Amino acid sequence: MDASLLTIQPNAPEPIYRQIVEQLRRLIAGGQLAAGELLPSVREVAGFHAINPMTVSRAYGLAESEGLLERLRGKGMAVAATRRASQSENQRLALLEPQLLELARHARELELPAEPVLRRLTKLLGD
Amino acid sequence: MNAVLKETAHAIAPLAVHGLTHCYEGSNVLRGVDLALEPGSVLGLIGRNGAGKSTLIRAMLGLLEPLSGEARVFGEPALKLSDAAKARLAYVPQQPEALAWLSAQQMLDFVGRFYPRWDARFANQTLERWKIQPNKLLAKLSPGERQRVDLIRALASQPELLVLDEPAAALDPVARRELLREVALRAGESGTTVLFSTHIVSDLERVASEIAFLHEGRLILRCGVDDTKERYARLWLPASKSAAAPAQALSRRRHEDGSLSLVVERDAQDRWPEAANLPGARVDALGLEDLFVEIAE
Amino acid sequence: MRLLALPWMALSKPWRKWIGGGFAILLAALAIGGVIGHHNVAWAPHLGHVTAIAVCLFWAGVVSQSLLLAREAHHLRLPALNREVRASLALYALLTIALPALLLAGLGGHAAVMLTEIALGAGLGMAYATLPPYLGICVCFIPMLSDHAGPWLPMPSTSPDRFLAWAVPCTVLLWLLIGGFWRGAVRHDFGLSGSRKPILLNLRMQAWYGRNRGNAMETELIRRRARWMQPVADLQRCGPNHSMRSLRIAMGGWSMPQTPASRWRQLGVLLASMLLPILVIAVASHGDDVMRSIFNNAHMLAFGLCIVSAVLALAQVQTLQRRWSRHNAELPLLALLPGLGDAAHVKRELLLANLLPTFGIQAVLTLAMLVLAAGLHLGADSDTVLLLGQLTGISMLIAMDLVTLGGVQVRGGWLMALCTYGYLLVNLSVVLALPMFGDEVLIRHSDVAWVTAITWAGLLAPLLRLGVRGWHGFIARPHPFLPTMD
């Protein structure tokens, strides 16, 4: 994997370390990162994005404790071998939770009933 | 703030000030500032123009005699630093203008003789990489180029404490990014402690591990960057619910329609104030920039 | 009234006050001179001479400011203002050239001579301000010419008619030149580079820099100077073991250690500019024995020696004041530079680094002065006064250095007044010690000696007081690299 695969938005309300973990989670869940694949070093990521290496370490540490990554001795971080490329449907749906919550809030604010929103969503997903 | 001071008391703080006050021509610039840096941290000092950032930095380094309070660098009084402490420290002022009568190369040669760990190779390579003609007199360089030469001067001495006053002010975006990279990597790898002031918040969010917000001569916020983003949010209450607003808030702003915006903080159990659960209430996550605009207004 | 006020508008308020006051005094003096001398026909030419000088200063300082307004008027397309500027110039020409000439003619002067002389004076003043610097600066040499060119250039006091013969065409030519350059400066504006821009506009550019003007002007000077004129610092033997030399490099200015080649180049320029007056003396003395004519012009030389020492000392003070007036340059660098030693050591080295180079040159100059005095066979009292003149600069240097380094808050005007006073005393020492009027040496009169002693005490007492205050401040500072104004 290359450090450029990550996108960092420093001025987003979400802390940078969370942005990294979130993207790793999506990349692994989506199968773009295969089990056992090596991650770029902390220095590479920090250097490429001009961010504090401690932030990257913190993100890798969190991902490790969540079981997304594992530390290979002498090689650095890799996608955990136990992690199958495809997770259960529920796990993958959980990844979408924040966006769904946001959508629901917007719908309520616009005083839209559930029916047309779901219809539209089904159509979008169908295509 | 006291918690931070105690925490760093056992390891010697590279930079610490206590009860610092100073004034220019009768008006107070600093009104009792306490601040300490932990070794290896990158502290971004932020504040509006004229908030006293430069004065605070100069007082911290013993470049001016403050009205009251004390400043220490590596545990030594800042106004009476030993050569050993000076060798571990590098400072780049805002718009550096020193030694205009020397060429960039001469200046680096001259200054380099005084630093025991001077990295002449780094200096030469960076001059070349940043496209600065080494034989041109400093007076003939643009402000941005002079700032870059001075940054090279500071970095080549391999300091343990790097203090930069508005380092990005005269730099173009590419040079700014390069500087941030250099600062970030040094902090991560060599454990360099960095203090830099800026009014460009996105720079700070990239490399700082902590921020200190100076407002009208007072330090009103001191927090880890990530914590700040997670701990603070804007709570919006419609006019009908504005009476239920929590008493504790960093800022409070009433809009024309009677609704209320507050900057609120999570409590010890990581919960937002109760008013956030009222119908119609809204909690918006804040980037640092929004947070500062809310507080500084 | 508005027409009269026009050029003054371009001046800032304090300047307006100073210049206005100065010319009011000058005018009063002239009027008194006129009243006293109105019975004495021989006074008229002298009065005309002084009027011409006053008018010259007035046109250089005040009327020339209209150029700024004319430029504005041209750029903002305000033809009405442009007409007003022209009318104002005409009015001033009438008031300051034609009117005094008429008055002086009434006092018994030669009308045409007076008119030409005053018009020439006004033209020279205007030329200084509005011509490109290389031409404008020539005006500064004119007084010297009038002193020494007497034998071959007829002056109004000696032969009025022959004076007119050369002065009228010269004056007309000068004014045509001014007119031409005026048009040029008004029309193309930003295209003019430094060497072609009139002094007036250059000064105006520099007024923008505000408090740090001195530093900004110095940077500008380095930027403009041709490469071969640039002093090159000698970085050999600097570093932690050579703190004094290192401090001299860090402070810049004329006393910075330079490479031998650079030093020779600078010296060459200096010598060339010093040879010029000697050359003029040689020409003016009609190829007499040059050595003798130099000694005949001993007052010029003695004056030169005194002035050089005072100017060097003041330049050194100014350098120090510039360094200590800003906090984003040499001060933080030096304050945090390791290897300079503890505060007491740095303070000593800093003071010596600043004083010793000037002391060295001063010693040479004093020696030269003693040789000159011995060659002139002056008395001990004259020697003493000349030495006093020599040492004025050095005492100003010591006192003001300590004031700057000790962070003593002194009002700028006060220091300026003290410097001017010192400069006048340097001039005075030459006047007193050499036979200026016939064979009489003024200092030999005992009353004059007393007054002289009191005048000098008037300079040395405040200098001593400032020096002591500065010394105490300097000793009390935790380290010497704290800016003076904070």
Side-chain angles (χ1 to χ4, degrees), chain C residues 70-310:
Chain C
R71 273 158 52 95
E72 299 282 291
H74 183 77
H75 291 297
L76 300 173
R77 305 273 181 274
L78 295 171
L81 180 61
N82 216 342
R83 277 196 298 276
E84 273 186 22
V85 169
R86 267 180 237 153
S88 148
L89 283 177
L91 186 60
Y92 266 108
L94 213 65
L95 282 180
T96 62
I97 301 174
L99 189 68
L102 268 178
L103 284 176
L104 286 170
L107 287 174
H110 189 303
V113 170
M114 291 299 156
L115 190 68
T116 316
E117 196 176 0
I118 297 174
L120 186 61
L124 288 176
M126 199 71 168
Y128 171 71
T130 61
L131 293 193
Y134 53 88
L135 290 175
I137 223 79
C138 295
V139 175
C140 298
F141 291 112
I142 301 286
M144 234 169 80
L145 211 68
S146 80
D147 275 356
H148 291 277
W152 48 275
L153 212 58
M155 286 293 141
S157 47
T158 49
S159 47
D161 294 320
R162 283 172 55 217
F163 166 72
L164 281 181
W166 69 265
V168 170
C170 275
T171 308
V172 171
L173 196 71
L174 185 65
W175 276 104
L176 284 177
L177 206 64
I178 292 167
F181 275 101
W182 176 285
R183 270 173 75 98
V186 166
R187 306 245 155 123
H188 357 240
D189 154 43
F190 300 101
L192 292 179
S193 67
S195 62
R196 292 187 50 209
K197 213 178 222 169
I199 284 175
L200 178 71
L201 300 182
N202 269 330
L203 285 178
R204 192 39 68 113
M205 288 283 292
Q206 285 157 6
W208 285 338
Y209 289 115
R211 194 181 111 181
N212 261 332
R213 183 165 47 194
N215 280 304
M217 272 164 68
E218 193 183 3
T219 312
E220 194 60 32
L221 195 71
I222 299 176
R223 209 173 283 164
R224 291 223 184 120
R225 199 152 36 195
R227 209 183 161 79
W228 65 271
M229 283 278 286
Q230 210 75 253
V232 181
D234 183 6
L235 292 185
Q236 289 198 334
R237 285 185 293 122
C238 71
N241 298 323
H242 307 275
S243 39
M244 198 193 299
R245 215 176 142 85
S246 307
L247 284 169
R248 278 169 61 201
I249 290 177
M251 281 190 299
W254 65 263
S255 66
M256 174 179 75
Q258 295 176 25
T259 56
S262 158
R263 197 51 100 185
W264 282 115
R265 276 200 304 269
Q266 301 286 317
L267 214 62
V269 173
L270 192 73
L271 280 180
S273 58
M274 268 166 57
L275 275 176
L276 196 71
I278 293 179
L279 217 70
V280 171
I281 295 173
V283 169
S285 57
H286 287 286
D288 281 351
D289 179 7
V290 175
M291 272 324 274
R292 222 185 70 211
S293 76
I294 286 176
F295 276 103
N296 283 344
N297 284 287
H299 65 283
M300 281 284 288
L301 267 179
F303 175 70
L305 287 174
C306 278
I307 283 300
V308 167
S309 94

Side-chain angles (χ1 to χ4, degrees), chain A residues 10-18 43 46-54 58 105 109, chain B residues 40 42 177 180-181 184-185 188-189 202 205-209 226 229-230 282 285-287:
Chain A
N11 40 11
E14 197 176 24
I16 293 174
Y17 82 98
R18 279 194 187 280
R43 189 194 147 82
F48 185 85
H49 293 288
I51 55 179
N52 195 318
M54 285 193 288
R58 188 176 178 186
R105 191 169 70 85
E109 274 175 7
Chain B
V42 181
R177 187 62 67 85
L180 292 178
R181 181 170 298 140
L185 289 179
E189 286 166 7
S202 64
E205 283 171 293
R206 275 184 192 278
V207 300
S209 56
D226 297 335
K229 285 183 175 179
E230 286 170 344
R282 206 170 71 214
L286 284 177

